[in-house]
Amino acid sequence: MRSKEIVIRDVEKTFQTRGGAVQALSKVNLNIEPLSFVSVVGPSGCGKSTLMNLLAGLDTPTGGVIEIGGERVSGAQEGNAVVFQRDLLLEWRTVIANILLPFELHGVTWLDRKDRTTNRQLAEDLLRMVGLEGFGDKYPFELSGGMRQRVSICRALIQRPTLLMMDEPFGALDALTREQMMYDLLRLYDQYKCTVVFITHSIEEAVFLSDRVLVMSERPGSVVRDIKIQLERPRNLSTRMDARFLDCVKEIRGVFQSQGVLAEV
Amino acid sequence: MIQRMNWRQGLSVSVTLIGMLAVWQLICVLFAVPAYLLPTPLDIGSRLISDGDVLLRHTGITLFEIVAGFGLSVLFGIPAAVIIVYSRYFSQAVFPLLIGLQCVPMISIAPLLITWLGFGMITQVVIAFLIAFFPIIVSAVVGLKSMEKEMNMLAMSLRASKLQIFLYFRLPRALPSIFGGFKVGITLSVVGAVVAEFVSSDRGLGYLQLVANAKLDITMQFCVIVMLAVIGLVLYNLVGLIERIALPWYRASRGGE
């Protein structure tokens, strides 16, 4: 399946809480090119996760429209895959069984031996790509945090998504693992070409990974800056020293400063 | 490695047990304790053998009551927990009542049950059932409600149906808690069956105990206690064994306990 253009028009989201209505998003307008890697950065509580949930069909907007390939989003759709901040592996399933869960939920029957072996092969290939060869029969509790999140990325990629959404996937990892995960993710992106929407609060992460970074304001969130990242791929360690990389990071910092999100003492 | 630890632990437990029995035997012999007050372990042992057929017959009856009562409480408790979790009315109105009912000692309704159901085995089974039912239903409800919000989002993003969310996410997540309820339930079932036999029965280990008591046959009473201990241990460990086979990920993730 081919990736499609995403159109977000005047999207608003208001949550009804006990303390009254809270507006999370106000008038978000966006077009996302197919196959592009787009990051959304913003302060905590700015509604970036809300935006992703709306895009994934896990929640419905209170105003506006989201369309993928001209079709209005309502509910989770085939071709979309989501990676959450927590790995959300099922503790009672082995690594392989976790990765194959999407297939099991959608009609790969137990009886179909051929499908089962090819699917297992697919899962093993993915594990090899994320450096977890031979871990297929382990249980999640036997893995470290970084390994677990890799498995959850495999679970998303095995669905061959045309749109991959990631909600602060490296947020719970230590700095070094986090950096390694970025390199791994870029390699996977090269291999599994699809549109990626990546939610993060790390400016460097967003710039390093993306073709385009959307900067969001504090609540109610809206896109206040849209920055093209003109760094060629493949990107590597030296990319992070590149003057253009540093300029982009500086520019985004500047936006946060002018918004009052970042302030010098 | 875990296997070896178990073997070692088993050895030290049996050595300690044998040591304690030896001390008991020694005290009885040294202080010439009369057998009608405290029989020696050897007396009890030989009685277990000589009266083995009587003991086994009554053990069988009690065992049946326990297993039937426990089985019924699983059979009714788990579906009831599912209904409570999925129905707003049941979780808001019925569940609090059930928790309240749990505070009523089930034994106290035994005389009522005799009035309604008579002296037969059914009364014992019903009491064993009632006493095990509450811990099983409560822990199943707690387990089934413990699925995280994020997990539900994942299930939604994978386009899992309601039934699939139950079978693939909610139920497996609840199993450790459900087994916890089983372990409490099986132990309580033993208590329930025996006490029910005390109150109303003409067979079973509880009945045997009362008869032996009336005849001042203290050795026989100890024999009954031994049989009850064996039943309790075997059933509890059986549940534990099933748990270990069914949830290999669980014990190990807790560091093997």
Side-chain angles (χ1 to χ4, degrees), chain A residues 91 118 138 197:
Chain A
E91 299 291 338
T118 48
K138 296 232 182 278
V197 174

Side-chain angles (χ1 to χ4, degrees), chain A residues 155-214:
Chain A
R155 179 177 58 195
L157 287 177
I158 202 156
Q159 304 169 63
R160 278 287 181 175
T162 51
L163 169 59
L164 175 63
M165 287 162 277
M166 305 179 96
D167 186 2
E168 298 190 32
F170 311 147
L173 305 176
D174 64 90
L176 215 55
T177 310
R178 217 178 152 122
E179 195 169 329
Q180 184 57 51
M181 295 290 279
M182 295 199 309
Y183 304 136
D184 292 349
L185 179 59
L186 281 184
R187 213 157 28 84
L188 290 168
Y189 173 62
D190 264 353
Q191 192 103 18
Y192 283 79
K193 279 289 178 197
C194 66
T195 314
V196 181
V197 174
F198 189 91
I199 311 290
T200 180
H201 52 247
S202 160
I203 299 169
E204 282 84 358
E205 205 170 80
V207 174
F208 181 73
L209 293 170
S210 317
D211 302 313
R212 185 177 166 201
V213 177
L214 303 166

Side-chain angles (χ1 to χ4, degrees), chain A residues 250-262:
Chain A
K250 211 174 355 176
E251 187 181 349
I252 298 170
R253 281 241 158 74
V255 176
F256 284 140
Q257 261 173 329
S258 67
Q259 295 263 317
V261 176
L262 281 174

Side-chain angles (χ1 to χ4, degrees), chain B residues 67-143:
Chain B
V67 172
F70 176 76
L72 284 175
S73 62
V74 173
L75 214 63
F76 285 96
I78 302 298
V82 173
I83 292 170
I84 285 171
V85 168
Y86 279 96
S87 147
R88 211 183 163 74
Y89 166 73
F90 276 91
S91 72
Q92 289 190 343
V94 179
F95 190 54
L97 283 176
L98 278 178
I99 291 181
L101 260 182
Q102 204 185 1
C103 304
V104 178
M106 278 307 137
I107 298 311
S108 66
I109 66 163
L112 276 179
L113 287 174
I114 298 165
T115 314
W116 294 335
L117 302 171
F119 278 84
M121 204 187 264
I122 184 131
T123 305
Q124 277 80 269
V125 172
V126 168
I127 290 175
F129 157 70
L130 282 177
I131 205 168
F133 179 71
F134 291 98
I136 287 175
I137 192 172
V138 170
S139 53
V141 167
V142 169

Side-chain angles (χ1 to χ4, degrees), chain A:
Chain A
M1 231 193 303
R2 302 265 294 281
S3 292
K4 298 164 187 155
E5 186 177 28
I6 299 164
V7 178
I8 297 174
R9 265 201 318 266
D10 295 330
V11 163
E12 293 190 308
K13 179 69 187 176
T14 306
F15 290 103
Q16 298 301 332
T17 66
R18 254 186 297 179
V22 174
Q23 193 177 16
L25 291 174
S26 78
K27 298 272 176 211
V28 177
N29 280 291
L30 272 181
N31 279 32
I32 296 174
E33 293 275 300
L35 299 181
S36 59
F37 195 124
V38 177
S39 284
V40 180
V41 278
S44 325
C46 73
K48 50 193 193 298
S49 296
T50 307
L51 183 62
M52 193 207 76
N53 288 343
L54 296 177
L55 186 56
L58 302 177
D59 207 343
T60 45
T62 38
V65 188
I66 299 179
E67 290 176 355
I68 298 179
E71 269 178 67
R72 200 186 173 124
V73 172
S74 62
Q77 295 185 332
E78 200 176 345
N80 291 359
V82 187
V83 174
F84 297 88
Q85 177 170 8
R86 284 182 50 206
D87 51 71
L88 299 176
L89 297 182
L90 306 184
E91 299 291 338
W92 49 91
R93 290 179 155 248
T94 60
V95 165
I96 282 279
N98 263 289
I99 298 176
L100 292 176
L101 180 67
F103 286 157
E104 245 179 86
L105 294 175
H106 295 287
V108 174
T109 56
W110 267 66
L111 298 169
D112 200 335
R113 235 164 205 293
K114 204 174 130 234
D115 266 9
R116 255 164 63 209
T117 43
T118 48
N119 286 341
R120 196 181 160 104
Q121 197 51 51
L122 275 175
E124 305 261 15
D125 290 346
L126 271 164
L127 277 176
R128 191 169 324 115
M129 287 198 60
V130 298
L132 288 177
E133 195 171 6
F135 281 84
D137 293 321
K138 296 232 182 278
Y139 281 98
F141 74 86
E142 298 173 276
L143 310 184
S144 69
M147 291 159 124
R148 291 175 63 115
Q149 192 58 287
R150 277 168 222 260
V151 174
S152 91
I153 292 171
C154 292
R155 179 177 58 195
L157 287 177
I158 202 156
Q159 304 169 63
R160 278 287 181 175
T162 51
L163 169 59
L164 175 63
M165 287 162 277
M166 305 179 96
D167 186 2
E168 298 190 32
F170 311 147
L173 305 176
D174 64 90
L176 215 55
T177 310
R178 217 178 152 122
E179 195 169 329
Q180 184 57 51
M181 295 290 279
M182 295 199 309
Y183 304 136
D184 292 349
L185 179 59
L186 281 184
R187 213 157 28 84
L188 290 168
Y189 173 62
D190 264 353
Q191 192 103 18
Y192 283 79
K193 279 289 178 197
C194 66
T195 314
V196 181
V197 174
F198 189 91
I199 311 290
T200 180
H201 52 247
S202 160
I203 299 169
E204 282 84 358
E205 205 170 80
V207 174
F208 181 73
L209 293 170
S210 317
D211 302 313
R212 185 177 166 201
V213 177
L214 303 166
V215 185
M216 284 184 72
S217 64
E218 281 190 289
R219 197 170 53 217
S222 60
V223 178
V224 288
R225 189 73 68 94
D226 186 342
I227 298 167
K228 286 250 175 316
I229 311 293
Q230 311 278 9
L231 297 160
E232 52 286 329
R233 294 181 188 271
R235 296 176 188 173
N236 47 40
L237 268 167
S238 60
T239 309
R240 292 164 73 89
M241 312 297 165
D242 194 302
R244 289 169 297 166
F245 175 86
L246 297 171
D247 283 345
C248 289
V249 171
K250 211 174 355 176
E251 187 181 349
I252 298 170
R253 281 241 158 74
V255 176
F256 284 140
Q257 261 173 329
S258 67
Q259 295 263 317
V261 176
L262 281 174
E264 283 169 285
V265 186

Side-chain angles (χ1 to χ4, degrees), chain B residues 44-60:
Chain B
I44 297 168
S46 62
R47 187 67 183 276
L48 276 172
I49 294 163
S50 64
D51 271 343
D53 53 338
V54 178
L55 277 164
L56 275 183
R57 200 175 68 237
H58 289 280
T59 302

